Amino acid sequence: MEAIAPLLSNGEERSALRSHLADLLELTKPRLTALNLVAAEAAYWLAPGAHSWGQSLLLLVGTALIIGAANTFNCYLERELDGRMSRTKHRPLPAGRLSPRLALLYGVGMVAVGAPLAALASPLSCAFALLALLLYVALYTPMKRISDKALYVGALPGALPVLVGSTAAAGRVELTGALLFLLLFCWQLPHFLAISLYRAREYARGGFKVLANTRGQRAARLLLVRSQCAVVVISLGAAAIGDVRWLYLVVASLAGAAMLLRARRGLSPAAESGWARSFFLSTNLYLVALMSALLVDHYL
């Protein structure tokens, strides 16, 4: 029995270590980070210029660490507010599984490692990645408690990853990157409006100003429809201006029409209670479909 006790102790230690590592990963909001990385990498391979797998890997790792740091700082700054909402109260900081000091050091460490890696891929890309971090942490995070106009401010750092990717290949801001930036900026408006609609009560408890609460559900749904229209127009405009062929045009047209119909359904008094959540999930699939079609069309 004495020989078994250390084994049990070691097993418990390994379990605790895995739990801490999972909590550290959760601070980076991995699903959000992954979506941003998909946009950055797609923009990199779509942009004109020299491409290499080595540069792509440096860009991927460096950008992942910087985005992860931004999300970690956000969790650190909003830990008390997160504790008020059922969606976020089980996160590592409000739940007390990690100390705020450790989270802060973790975020600083990711920037310290990620920035040099991103700079090796491209100094301009690194600058855009750090700008996104600064806007997200220093401007968007506090503004969410002050004004519903934070919606537009938050769309800026969310769209900057495409400039991180495109400038790494092109060495400058060029047409493809600018179009993708505009597309991503507008895409985030209906994306977040959908979240704020089905999480309106939680945001109110957390002290966040969202349109659904400040001006009402009807105003938020109208803006969602209008902003989705803008996304579809820009996606089709990119087909007219950019170097794409039939596949992207077909996907952008069909997916855009489907998204507009789903958005319009939200204005109906008979809209089902789960409409906003369903639309939010659809926005993710829509973006992945557009980016995938762009890449396949580009390399056909």
Side-chain angles (χ1 to χ4, degrees):
M1 293 295 294
E2 292 179 1
I4 296 174
L7 294 176
L8 293 175
S9 178
N10 289 339
E12 290 171 356
E13 288 176 4
R14 286 194 295 272
S15 178
L17 177 60
R18 284 194 296 269
S19 178
H20 279 299
L21 290 175
D23 285 336
L24 288 172
L25 178 63
E26 188 177 345
L27 289 179
T28 67
K29 302 180 183 178
R31 283 181 291 183
L32 178 59
T33 297
L35 197 60
N36 285 323
L37 292 177
V38 167
E41 282 292 303
Y44 173 77
W45 292 105
L46 287 167
H51 304 86
S52 73
W53 289 107
Q55 184 185 37
S56 173
L57 182 60
L58 282 172
L59 185 71
L60 184 69
V61 176
T63 305
L65 289 170
I66 293 173
I67 294 172
N71 289 327
T72 297
F73 292 142
N74 173 262
C75 288
Y76 171 81
L77 292 170
E78 294 183 346
R79 61 191 185 278
E80 293 182 7
L81 301 177
D82 282 346
R84 302 177 191 174
M85 300 187 291
S86 59
R87 180 175 66 94
T88 55
K89 68 182 181 180
H90 298 297
R91 285 177 176 173
L93 293 178
R97 298 195 304 273
L98 293 176
S99 73
R101 184 172 181 273
L102 176 60
L104 187 59
L105 291 173
Y106 177 55
V108 171
M110 281 191 285
V111 175
V113 176
L117 291 176
L120 282 174
S122 164
L124 184 55
S125 295
C126 180
F128 276 125
L130 292 175
L131 176 61
L133 181 148
L134 184 64
L135 288 172
Y136 185 68
V137 175
L139 189 58
Y140 172 62
T141 295
M143 191 176 178
K144 286 193 291 181
R145 287 169 265 173
I146 300 170
S147 170
D148 58 34
K149 298 299 187 293
L151 169 70
Y152 303 101
V153 175
L156 288 170
L160 279 169
V162 297
L163 292 183
V164 172
S166 65
T167 54
R172 67 188 190 284
V173 177
E174 43 71 51
L175 181 60
T176 300
L179 287 172
L180 287 174
F181 174 82
L182 185 59
L183 177 65
L184 263 290
F185 177 87
C186 291
W187 170 84
Q188 288 176 90
L189 304 183
H191 176 76
F192 181 74
L193 283 165
I195 303 174
S196 68
L197 281 163
Y198 77 84
R199 296 286 190 184
R201 291 182 181 178
E202 288 191 55
Y203 281 120
R205 284 198 298 271
F208 298 112
K209 305 291 185 182
V210 295
L211 194 66
N213 291 330
T214 59
R215 292 176 54 194
Q217 291 255 334
R218 180 70 178 177
R221 291 178 185 233
L222 280 170
L223 182 57
L224 184 150
V225 173
R226 291 167 184 162
S227 55
Q228 184 59 51
C229 285
V231 174
V232 173
V233 169
I234 293 166
S235 70
L236 295 176
I241 298 170
D243 181 23
V244 295
R245 286 171 285 183
W246 65 271
L247 176 62
Y248 173 77
L249 184 59
V250 169
V251 171
S253 299
L254 294 178
M259 291 300 293
L260 286 176
L261 288 173
R262 292 181 68 85
R264 183 69 179 79
R265 192 180 302 155
L267 297 179
S268 169
E272 64 274 19
S273 59
W275 166 83
R277 178 175 172 78
S278 174
F279 183 85
F280 161 71
L281 296 173
S282 297
T283 61
N284 292 328
L285 296 174
Y286 174 66
L287 182 63
V288 172
L290 286 182
M291 291 296 182
S292 300
L294 274 173
L295 284 169
V296 173
D297 214 359
H298 184 75
Y299 285 101
L300 271 177

